[in-house]
Amino acid sequence: MLDSKLLRTQLQDVADRLATRGYQLDVARIEALEAQRKTVQTRTEQLQAERNARSKSIGQAKQRGEDIAPLLADVDRMASELDAGKQELEGIQAELDQLMLTLPNLPHESVPVGKDEDENVEVRRWGTPKSFDFPVQDHVALGEQHGWLDFETAAKLSGARFALMRGPIARLHRALAQFMIDLHTREHGYEEAYTPYLVQAPALQGTGQLPKFEEDLFKITREGEADFYLIPTAEVSLTNIVADEILEAKQLPLKFVAHTPCFRSEAGASGRDTRGMIRQHQFDKVEMVQIVEPGQSFEALESLTANAEKVLQLLELPYRVLALCTGDMGFGATKTYDLEVWVPSQDKYREISSCSNCGDFQARRMQARYRNPETGKPELVHTLNGSGLAVGRTLVAVLENYQQADGSVRVPEVLKPYMAGIEVIG
């Protein structure tokens, strides 16, 4: 959530910066609501002062033996008007608060301005895509040849956009997740967490999925109890660990990592990547989250991104890093780097991780704070998140980049300790 003071004092600047994201802020509506709020608030404060003065005069009139009935009636009238004014003020504020929840984060000044993904800026590349001397197969063909990657049975069980993995591919999928967790906890300083897969609405509001993206979530309605939502990413559960908390500065930075399934309805992805494992309703991800002091967040973003890159480097998978432009960033991000891995069957790079600095945007929604040691006062923390990595998409990249002419797949060197001696699949 943006700072409401910015909308009161720098409304047009906020509108201009949001416009670079393709978001048109209704400036006139906000100005009208603010003007209405000020008018009602001023009237209510004046009425409260008058009521207090009149109440005081009642006691004085009573001491003088005067008839106080008219004064009492006047105080009662003021009380009714005061209640009406407070209700009106609450209604205006509720509308402003609801509007604030729908506003995306402001892009940092270092973010390239652009309309869509075509205007993202490549920052660097690592590795060289392999040249194959045989016809390249995609991960679906490679996985289905022995029945180890089964989309037909998954569709029988659950419908489209699900996968059933068996045998060595299921083990390889598990090995990838275990390798990522081990790397981030042993070498990158993250604390492993196991979080609930079901959360309530306030957690999703805290990280920005609600109210704007409710149609992309899987919701479980419970009669007489709060609704549950399946997590779209462990970012939700990990980041909300610090919701409504005031941390001590010495506790920061906090670095969490978790391996969880993720659930997304992919409502906006109709017709895209319908074949294979690139875009599914259920997928596994190793998620990294950092909670840091405000002055450290952009340095932390570089570190977080490097942590994700290290996974690809150790797997020896070619990739590139993109700085997302203003028009392609996620709702809560102030700056984002995407990692794209080389997918031979598609002859292009595909997203495998998104690493974002959200600044104080999520912290304000969650009321996640730390005590500034210099002032002693609570201030908002900054939050960051990134995939380290999406496990299913990493499996796709391994299957395709390590394939051999006979359709078998070599196991990457770094994964062999997790594969119980299996060096080749197929």
Side-chain angles (χ1 to χ4, degrees):
M1 182 184 294
L2 300 181
D3 187 347
S4 59
K5 292 179 183 177
L6 284 176
L7 268 72
R8 290 196 293 270
T9 61
Q10 303 176 43
L11 181 57
Q12 191 55 55
D13 179 59
V14 170
D16 292 342
R17 293 173 69 184
L18 289 179
T20 67
R21 298 189 59 141
Y23 185 93
Q24 298 303 312
L25 184 62
D26 192 342
V27 172
R29 181 56 182 157
I30 293 176
E31 288 178 334
L33 284 169
E34 272 297 323
Q36 187 181 0
R37 183 187 64 80
K38 289 178 181 178
T39 299
V40 175
Q41 185 170 335
T42 300
R43 187 175 74 239
T44 301
E45 290 172 351
Q46 291 173 343
L47 195 60
Q48 181 68 60
E50 290 177 17
R51 182 171 180 262
N52 292 342
R54 195 61 54 90
S55 296
K56 186 177 181 180
S57 67
I58 289 175
Q60 296 170 343
K62 192 173 184 180
Q63 288 179 348
R64 295 193 297 268
E66 299 174 0
D67 181 10
I68 62 172
L71 293 175
L72 289 171
D74 209 20
V75 168
D76 288 343
R77 174 187 59 78
M78 288 182 180
S80 297
E81 290 181 11
L82 196 59
D83 286 342
K86 288 180 178 178
Q87 288 181 14
E88 185 178 1
L89 195 59
E90 287 174 1
I92 296 168
Q93 191 60 54
E95 187 171 349
L96 280 167
D97 290 345
Q98 194 61 31
L99 187 149
M100 291 291 290
L101 287 172
T102 66
L103 303 184
N105 203 353
L106 297 177
H108 187 257
E109 59 187 13
S110 64
V111 174
V113 175
K115 297 188 295 296
D116 53 36
E117 61 184 15
D118 293 332
E119 297 185 68
N120 293 336
V121 176
E122 185 173 311
V123 177
R124 57 184 171 271
R125 293 191 181 198
W126 186 94
T128 303
K130 178 182 176 181
S131 296
F132 293 89
D133 57 5
F134 56 85
V136 170
Q137 298 187 70
D138 69 7
H139 68 282
V140 178
L142 292 165
E144 286 184 336
Q145 61 184 332
H146 297 291
W148 293 332
L149 187 54
D150 187 346
F151 295 98
E152 184 176 340
T153 302
K156 179 179 70 175
L157 296 171
S158 305
R161 295 192 186 274
F162 290 92
L164 171 65
M165 288 177 276
R166 298 168 58 180
I169 283 184
R171 188 178 192 112
L172 183 59
H173 184 266
R174 175 163 57 90
L176 282 165
Q178 187 66 59
F179 157 65
M180 294 173 194
I181 287 287
D182 286 348
L183 175 66
H184 296 316
T185 54
R186 294 173 183 175
E187 297 186 23
H188 298 154
Y190 290 82
E191 177 187 349
E192 183 175 359
Y194 174 83
T195 77
Y197 301 160
L198 294 168
V199 295
Q200 297 180 5
L204 289 152
Q205 180 174 297
T207 44
Q209 284 81 10
L210 286 179
K212 188 172 177 61
F213 301 105
E214 183 158 7
E215 67 174 8
D216 294 330
L217 302 170
F218 285 107
K219 181 178 180 179
I220 300 172
T221 302
R222 301 188 298 163
E223 187 174 350
E225 296 187 69
D227 294 335
F228 275 144
Y229 293 84
L230 288 162
I231 57 169
T233 164
E235 170 200 340
V236 176
S237 43
L238 290 175
T239 310
N240 273 279
I241 289 173
V242 298
D244 299 313
E245 298 285 339
I246 299 178
L247 304 167
E248 296 302 323
K250 64 183 180 182
Q251 294 176 264
L252 301 177
L254 290 172
K255 299 170 69 174
F256 300 121
V257 65
H259 167 219
T260 69
C262 305
F263 305 90
R264 300 182 188 178
S265 70
E266 299 289 357
S270 178
R272 291 185 59 191
D273 296 310
T274 55
R275 177 179 169 83
M277 296 182 65
I278 295 292
R279 194 179 298 274
Q280 297 199 300
H281 292 315
Q282 175 186 317
F283 59 96
D284 278 34
K285 186 150 64 79
V286 170
E287 184 74 2
M288 304 176 294
V289 162
Q290 293 194 26
I291 314 295
V292 304
E293 292 186 39
Q296 303 298 317
S297 64
F298 284 97
E299 180 182 339
L301 176 61
E302 301 300 324
S303 170
L304 183 87
T305 305
N307 296 157
E309 289 183 70
K310 189 64 175 179
V311 179
L312 292 170
Q313 291 169 8
L314 291 174
L315 288 169
E316 300 182 69
L317 294 171
Y319 68 90
R320 66 176 183 172
V321 179
L322 301 177
L324 297 195
C325 71
T326 52
D328 196 36
M329 282 199 308
F331 179 78
T334 187
K335 184 172 184 177
T336 297
Y337 291 119
D338 267 10
L339 274 59
E340 295 186 342
V341 69
W342 181 254
V343 179
S345 68
Q346 299 183 17
D347 197 34
K348 63 181 179 181
Y349 292 95
R350 295 300 306 268
E351 180 193 339
I352 197 167
S353 173
S354 193
C355 299
S356 297
N357 181 2
C358 296
D360 61 12
F361 185 83
Q362 293 178 326
R364 184 172 288 105
R365 297 167 80 105
M366 297 185 302
Q367 280 303 289
R369 295 168 289 172
Y370 82 108
R371 196 173 303 281
N372 187 318
E374 295 182 3
T375 65
K377 296 180 180 179
E379 296 181 12
L380 295 171
V381 296
H382 280 197
T383 64
L384 303 96
N385 63 80
S387 305
L389 303 164
V391 182
R393 292 193 179 195
T394 309
L395 178 65
V396 168
V398 168
L399 291 175
E400 295 202 10
N401 282 279
Y402 280 85
Q403 66 180 290
Q404 302 185 106
D406 62 357
S408 62
V409 177
R410 290 185 298 110
V411 173
E413 194 67 32
V414 75
L415 294 183
K416 288 180 180 178
Y418 298 92
M419 290 295 291
I422 299 174
E423 296 193 0
V424 177
I425 294 174

